[in-house]
Amino acid sequence: MEWIKLIGILIILIGFLFKFDTIAVVVLAAYTTAVVSGISIMDFLEAFGQAFVENRLVTIFLLTLPMIGLSERFGLRQQAVILIQKIKGMTPGKFLTLYTAIREIAGLLGIRISGHPQFVRPIVNPMTQAAAKTNYGKISENDSEKLKARAAANENYANFYGQNTFVAASGVLLIAGTLRDLNYDVSEADIVQIALIIAVIVLVLTAISNMLFDRKLAKKYNIKKEGETNNDSNR
């Protein structure tokens, strides 16, 4: 009756369905699976502890989320907005292109910048919104949402295409190792050279896209400003 060893999955489903404590449900499911599989309590605890130690970096990552939340609550967002407002001529598109370039350079140097929850939401998006407000005044909610999406998209472009420009990146090592197993004569440096070309192309295309979006916003809100000015003059 090997199927009985799947009882842990059933326990997890029931626990999540009735919204029981997540950690308790997972531990109970793991222990029950160990019992029906003939694993002793000591072997179970040893395996459980080893799994926790090997994956402790996941726990460390989760600890960064409340830290970012506290920083945002006590002025991180406001300081980011103040900084971008002091830079003259910094449009939303220019700022996002600059961020994309910085993100790719960080990838080239093997520096990992946290993504959407730790960096884009509390810093990049508020600075983008501030740049729009400084240049175009109050923008519509629809355009504000588009800027949010563009900030997230630029993060994705830079991270996805820039992460393999570092010679010791896990993706580079995986690609090179797989190709060598298939009898292709490649090195990690060869993979990085191709990745660099792609990253530069992506940066150029992203810059063009951001520039066109800037022109669209400028045309829309400059015409609106001119109309408001003319109405005030007529009055």
Side-chain angles (χ1 to χ4, degrees):
M1 298 177 63
E2 291 294 322
W3 58 268
I4 195 64
K5 296 179 181 178
L6 300 177
I7 192 173
I9 299 176
L10 179 62
I11 293 174
I12 290 176
L13 290 175
I14 294 174
F16 287 0
L17 180 64
F18 289 96
K19 298 181 179 180
F20 295 141
D21 183 79
T22 303
I23 297 178
V25 169
V26 172
V27 172
L28 178 61
Y31 179 67
T32 305
T33 302
V35 170
V36 299
S37 301
I39 300 175
S40 67
I41 180 65
M42 294 306 298
D43 289 339
F44 164 72
L45 291 176
E46 182 180 353
F48 196 79
Q50 182 179 355
F52 176 79
V53 172
E54 290 178 350
N55 296 279
R56 62 188 181 277
L57 290 179
V58 176
T59 306
I60 294 175
F61 164 76
L62 292 176
L63 290 176
T64 64
L65 298 180
M67 291 173 62
I68 292 296
L70 288 172
S71 299
E72 183 179 352
R73 179 182 178 88
F74 292 103
L76 180 63
R77 180 189 293 262
Q78 289 78 4
Q79 292 303 318
V81 169
I82 292 172
L83 174 63
I84 201 68
Q85 288 176 337
K86 290 181 179 179
I87 304 176
K88 295 181 179 180
M90 181 61 74
T91 62
K94 289 180 180 178
F95 171 71
L96 289 176
T97 299
L98 176 62
Y99 172 70
T100 302
I102 293 173
R103 192 74 165 82
E104 289 194 352
I105 292 173
L108 176 64
L109 299 175
I111 301 173
R112 302 302 298 168
I113 298 178
S114 297
H116 298 281
Q118 300 98 328
F119 209 77
V120 175
R121 181 184 182 278
I123 300 178
V124 177
N125 177 57
M127 293 179 78
T128 306
Q129 301 287 343
K133 184 177 180 181
T134 301
N135 285 274
Y136 312 121
K138 185 177 180 180
I139 63 175
S140 67
E141 183 178 351
N142 183 47
D143 287 330
S144 177
E145 291 298 320
K146 287 181 179 179
L147 286 174
K148 290 180 184 179
R150 188 165 286 268
N154 277 247
E155 160 67 23
N156 289 341
Y157 301 151
N159 179 44
F160 185 82
Y161 293 103
Q163 61 183 334
N164 286 338
T165 57
F166 179 54
V167 70
S170 57
V172 173
L173 299 177
L174 176 62
I175 294 170
T178 302
L179 290 176
R180 280 197 290 264
D181 290 341
L182 296 173
N183 297 321
Y184 288 95
D185 185 17
V186 296
S187 65
E188 285 76 8
D190 296 328
I191 304 300
V192 167
Q193 288 177 6
I194 302 300
L196 279 170
I197 296 173
I198 300 300
V200 171
I201 293 174
V202 169
L203 179 59
V204 172
L205 293 177
T206 301
I208 294 173
S209 176
N210 289 333
M211 181 183 67
L212 293 176
F213 190 73
D214 267 347
R215 290 183 178 180
K216 182 179 178 180
L217 289 179
K219 182 178 180 181
K220 178 178 180 179
Y221 290 101
N222 285 342
I223 291 176
K224 184 178 179 181
K225 283 182 180 180
E226 289 176 1
E228 292 175 351
T229 302
N230 291 334
N231 290 335
D232 292 339
S233 298
N234 292 333
R235 291 175 185 174

